[in-house]
Amino acid sequence: MIEDTYAAFTGWLFEHTLQPVLYATGMMDWAEDLFAWLDFALRGLFGILVVYFVCRPLEAWRPVEPRQDGAAIRTDMVYTFLSRLGVLPLVAFVLLASLQSRWEGWLTEVGVMPPTLEELFPPLRDHPLLALVAYVIVLDFGEYWRHRAQHGFRWWWALHAIHHAQRQMTFWTDDRNHVLDDVLAALWFGGLALLIGVPPGQFPLILLLLRLAESLSHANVRLSYGRVGERLLVSPRFHRLHHGELSAGASGKNYAVLLPIWDWIFGTADFRRDHYPPTGAADAGEAMERGGWLRQQWAGFQRLALTIARRA
Amino acid sequence: MRRAPFALLLLAGLSLPSLAKADLVYVLNSGDASITVLESTTREEVRRIPILREVHHLLLNPERTELVVGDSAANELLFLNPDTAEIVRRERISNPYHMDYSPDGKYLVITSLRRDQVDIYEAATRTLLARLKVPDKPSHLAFSPDSRMVYVTLQGARRLMAIDLTTRRPTWTTEVGPQPAGVLWHRDRLLVGIMGSDQVAVVNPADGKLERGIQTARGAHTVFASPNGGPLYATSRVDSRLTVLDPETLEVKARWELPGGPDCIAFAPDGKLWVTLRWVARVAVVDPATGEAETIPVGRSPHGVFVQPRQLPLPPAPVPVVEAPATPVMVPGVVPAALR
């Protein structure tokens, strides 16, 4: 019933708003892509609402620190809306579609067809949910190492510092990233996809919960998942320690995005359950800390250029 | 005793419902990685087959023993038993979007919309014979009845391309209009749905000359020929309309509103049209006598559709049906939000 109503609503919205624009501008060959984007955006909007109604009361209940910097939080909200409503992904998709088509075509010509995890492990075929879990684990492992690289390479840290510059961290901070950092993330993911394929997307509720977990890990809340839970899922306590000022640069802890086990295995975990340090990056600078979206982006580009120039 | 024949007739009459057709209707849900199998009589979903990623088109093999489904994003062909809806086997193949067997059963040609490729395979073995790099977004294809030529619409390049299957090279390309989609061979002419307009283009297959346009409705998508030389039906996705064309003169005989973005059509043995409604996750059953339609919910973004005649209802599934809820379709090339 809910599904049918949702389908009728999105169908109506597409037919009466987006499709006429595509037709008028001679872009009907993008119809399926834009329809997919509409779905992405609506679910993103719903996701923001869910995250807000879960995280905001928690932040009000047991804040780590008082909410003093409304402007900094509003900037993070811009990041969230641009990212989760699919505005930046849509722009990236339109700009990169032709490149992607050539790349995939070339790969096929040289005989490379990315497999799927289900093909590598056939029992997963009959258990789509299990397949999704397997993808989440493998991709989260990839994310752990990408995150370590973001801190380990100076040029990459020049971009990632934007994420860490926030001294007023809240659940909105999750999406605070430089666009170039997002592009690198997409390339990283693309590399992994070559090995294991792309994950199935037919479980929107699971994806929503994963997203919620990631946002919650940035929340301004004194919340630990307990002795066992802290080792199963990244908590606000666990991730706040990563955002502590000392973690800037190459000497950080708690890099995991979703599953702390990677930090546990590779010796970067800090499971102190009572430690909630102030957040921020000591070397980020005023523009990255306090600037608006555009200023922060520009500061990221400048800093990247300087870092590369110094090395040359 | 005289009454016996009447009793037999009555009995036969009473037993008619159990002999009623219970055709299976396969609907490919491109947006939620599944195939819906409906029973035509009850309109009920009797199977939901999970697939890996993104299914678009399907067809019977030349022997009519297997239903071939392309899962483009998973680089996979699925072969189903059309009578039982069971997956018989799977094969790795590059990005199967639209596909068809040549009328002589010799070739299987597959377009790869995302990779700008047209692949010619030996039908029996799926051995790749040739891969043609073509301009932007090769979409649908149609064969000449003698199996010598295959015609491919190039959606992003406003063109139709003719490929000689003997030399496996293009013989001509011609501009037909903005975003050409479906193509149909019909009585020595090619009918091409011009999605960026309200026209179906009529093209001479010999030289690619655009002869004229037939006005249908905005977002003209594909033309389907009903069996036994009956009327042609053109779908239009912007105006959401079915246009009925005279097969002889190509004159418009009727226009039926069909909200939801009508896309592909399959013809049932009872003459009804099963039409996928791309934007509203439904399939429409249209009565060709009146144009009236009822709609049935299926999965997200339903695309290809196929009707398999069947006399008796399909027995219950041997294993629990896997329910596949609607999908947040990922924008290709972008990291899924929840997995970043």
Side-chain angles (χ1 to χ4, degrees):
Chain A
M1 179 62 190
I2 294 172
E3 249 177 60
D4 205 28
T5 310
Y6 175 76
F9 171 68
T10 49
W12 182 88
L13 203 60
F14 181 74
E15 283 199 90
H16 291 87
T17 59
L18 298 179
Q19 191 172 238
V21 175
L22 285 180
Y23 185 79
T25 53
M27 296 176 70
M28 277 298 288
D29 52 327
W30 295 91
E32 286 87 353
D33 302 306
L34 202 63
F35 184 65
W37 172 79
L38 176 66
D39 205 38
F40 181 92
L42 286 174
R43 287 171 195 271
L45 187 63
F46 181 67
I48 291 173
L49 289 174
V50 169
V51 166
Y52 181 83
F53 283 112
V54 171
C55 294
R56 189 68 197 91
L58 285 173
E59 287 191 341
W61 173 52
R62 290 181 71 190
V64 175
E65 58 197 356
R67 265 168 94 97
Q68 288 171 327
D69 194 344
I73 295 173
R74 281 193 291 279
T75 301
D76 284 0
M77 289 166 76
V78 173
Y79 277 99
T80 300
F81 281 96
L82 284 176
S83 165
R84 298 203 191 178
L85 298 189
V87 178
L88 288 179
L90 182 69
V91 172
F93 175 65
V94 171
L95 293 177
L96 300 174
S98 157
L99 205 64
Q100 188 184 0
S101 159
R102 272 183 227 164
W103 161 247
E104 284 192 15
W106 178 79
L107 276 178
T108 314
E109 276 166 34
V110 297
V112 177
M113 263 197 289
T116 56
L117 262 187
E118 295 93 323
E119 191 194 340
L120 299 172
F121 303 99
L124 293 178
R125 280 183 180 280
D126 301 321
H127 306 282
L129 195 56
L130 200 62
L132 181 64
V133 171
Y135 270 105
V136 168
I137 292 171
V138 176
L139 291 172
D140 193 58
F141 178 67
E143 286 302 88
Y144 170 81
W145 283 105
R146 180 171 69 86
H147 198 177
R148 291 212 39 185
Q150 283 175 315
H151 285 252
F153 294 106
R154 284 187 178 280
W155 61 268
W156 207 339
W157 170 252
L159 299 171
H160 188 54
I162 285 182
H163 184 71
H164 280 267
Q166 179 59 286
R167 294 186 180 274
Q168 179 75 81
M169 194 168 84
T170 66
F171 64 93
W172 294 105
T173 307
D174 187 24
D175 293 297
R176 180 189 173 108
N177 292 304
H178 195 276
V179 286
L180 212 52
D181 206 3
D182 278 338
V183 170
L184 290 171
L187 291 175
W188 187 276
F189 176 83
L192 262 175
L194 270 182
L195 300 173
I196 61 165
V198 291
Q202 67 266 45
F203 299 101
L205 191 63
I206 307 283
L207 296 175
L208 179 70
L209 288 174
L210 294 177
R211 215 49 234 250
L212 176 62
E214 285 178 29
S215 290
L216 186 59
S217 73
H218 288 87
N220 172 26
V221 56
R222 211 168 273 278
L223 181 64
S224 150
Y225 293 162
R227 190 177 167 75
V228 178
E230 283 285 306
R231 283 158 175 81
L232 297 177
L233 189 65
V234 168
S235 71
R237 196 280 321 159
F238 186 92
H239 199 61
R240 190 175 184 88
L241 205 140
H242 172 73
H243 272 264
E245 258 194 272
L246 287 176
S247 73
S251 56
K253 290 281 183 186
N254 296 4
Y255 290 96
V257 175
L258 203 63
L259 308 171
I261 191 169
W262 312 124
D263 283 300
W264 206 2
I265 292 173
F266 297 107
T268 50
D270 187 336
F271 287 118
R272 281 177 294 161
R273 282 162 49 199
D274 56 348
H275 190 43
Y276 293 87
T279 62
D283 58 344
E286 196 265 343
M288 279 193 179
E289 277 182 28
R290 304 274 304 118
W293 183 86
L294 204 58
R295 196 161 158 235
Q296 288 185 4
Q297 294 296 310
W298 181 241
F301 279 123
Q302 279 182 316
R303 191 175 169 142
L304 176 67
L306 273 174
T307 309
I308 294 170
R310 274 187 204 135
R311 282 175 64 90
Chain B
M1 285 300 286
R2 266 188 217 165
R3 285 182 185 171
F6 295 107
L8 278 173
L9 270 177
L10 186 65
L11 194 65
L14 285 174
S15 64
L16 267 179
S18 66
L19 291 174
K21 293 260 187 182
D23 304 330
L24 292 182
V25 183
Y26 293 82
V27 182
L28 305 189
N29 304 313
S30 67
D32 69 8
S34 69
I35 302 170
T36 296
V37 186
L38 299 163
E39 197 192 290
S40 67
T41 322
T42 61
R43 312 285 201 242
E44 277 176 12
E45 182 174 312
V46 290
R47 294 283 192 282
R48 179 70 70 112
I49 306 168
I51 56 97
L52 287 187
R53 298 293 181 269
E54 191 178 314
V55 275
H56 285 284
H57 291 283
L58 74 175
L59 76 166
L60 275 181
N61 66 351
E63 296 77 28
R64 308 186 72 79
T65 53
E66 288 179 327
L67 188 60
V68 187
V69 179
D71 185 346
S72 58
N75 296 313
E76 199 167 79
L77 280 184
L78 293 104
F79 295 81
L80 280 80
N81 180 335
D83 289 318
T84 62
E86 286 165 342
I87 295 177
V88 180
R89 65 205 155 85
R90 300 177 174 90
E91 280 181 16
R92 290 271 287 159
I93 209 149
S94 171
N95 195 234
Y97 180 69
H98 194 244
M99 58 196 169
D100 205 354
Y101 288 98
S102 57
D104 62 5
K106 222 167 132 186
Y107 301 107
L108 171 66
V109 177
I110 295 179
T111 57
S112 168
L113 188 82
R114 293 271 179 226
R115 294 176 188 164
D116 297 343
Q117 290 167 340
V118 176
D119 290 341
I120 303 170
Y121 293 91
E122 186 179 71
T125 60
R126 261 81 62 201
T127 306
L128 183 65
L129 301 174
R131 171 164 289 148
L132 284 82
K133 193 79 191 155
V134 297
D136 208 14
K137 295 180 183 167
S139 181
H140 289 60
L141 63 94
F143 289 96
S144 59
D146 62 3
S147 300
R148 247 200 72 202
M149 305 291 292
V150 63
Y151 305 91
V152 179
T153 54
L154 305 172
Q155 213 170 83
R158 304 170 64 97
R159 289 171 183 276
L160 178 71
M161 175 183 271
I163 300 166
D164 189 322
L165 285 169
T166 320
T167 62
R168 292 163 200 158
R169 289 179 178 282
T171 56
W172 54 255
T173 58
T174 193
E175 183 157 339
V176 285
Q179 299 97 50
V183 54
L184 172 77
W185 178 283
H186 178 71
R187 302 191 184 186
D188 294 331
R189 288 295 177 270
L190 293 164
L191 305 182
V192 186
I194 309 298
M195 201 160 53
S197 78
D198 58 359
Q199 303 278 314
V200 168
V202 182
V203 177
N204 186 333
D207 54 8
K209 193 180 164 212
L210 178 63
E211 293 184 339
R212 66 183 171 114
I214 305 160
Q215 192 187 21
T216 55
R218 294 183 307 151
H221 191 63
T222 310
V223 184
F224 294 86
S226 54
N228 308 317
L232 306 177
Y233 296 91
T235 52
S236 302
R237 290 202 320 206
V238 176
D239 281 331
S240 276
R241 196 178 289 170
L242 268 188
T243 306
V244 188
L245 302 173
D246 184 292
E248 192 71 44
T249 63
L250 300 181
E251 275 175 29
V252 174
K253 306 303 281 183
R255 288 191 169 96
W256 301 329
E257 303 302 321
L258 196 54
D263 199 308
C264 285
I265 299 177
F267 298 91
D270 64 2
K272 297 250 171 71
L273 281 65
W274 288 74
V275 188
T276 47
L277 302 176
R278 199 70 189 270
W279 314 132
V280 291
R282 282 180 169 259
V283 66
V285 190
V286 181
D287 185 339
T290 61
E292 282 175 11
E294 63 170 306
T295 64
I296 304 159
V298 288
R300 195 101 183 109
S301 203
H303 197 178
V305 57
F306 175 81
V307 180
Q308 170 71 9
R310 194 184 152 90
Q311 211 66 41
L312 297 170
L314 195 67
V319 287
V321 176
V322 177
E323 294 292 343
T327 312
V329 180
M330 304 304 169
V331 179
V334 173
V335 184
L339 300 176
R340 264 183 308 173

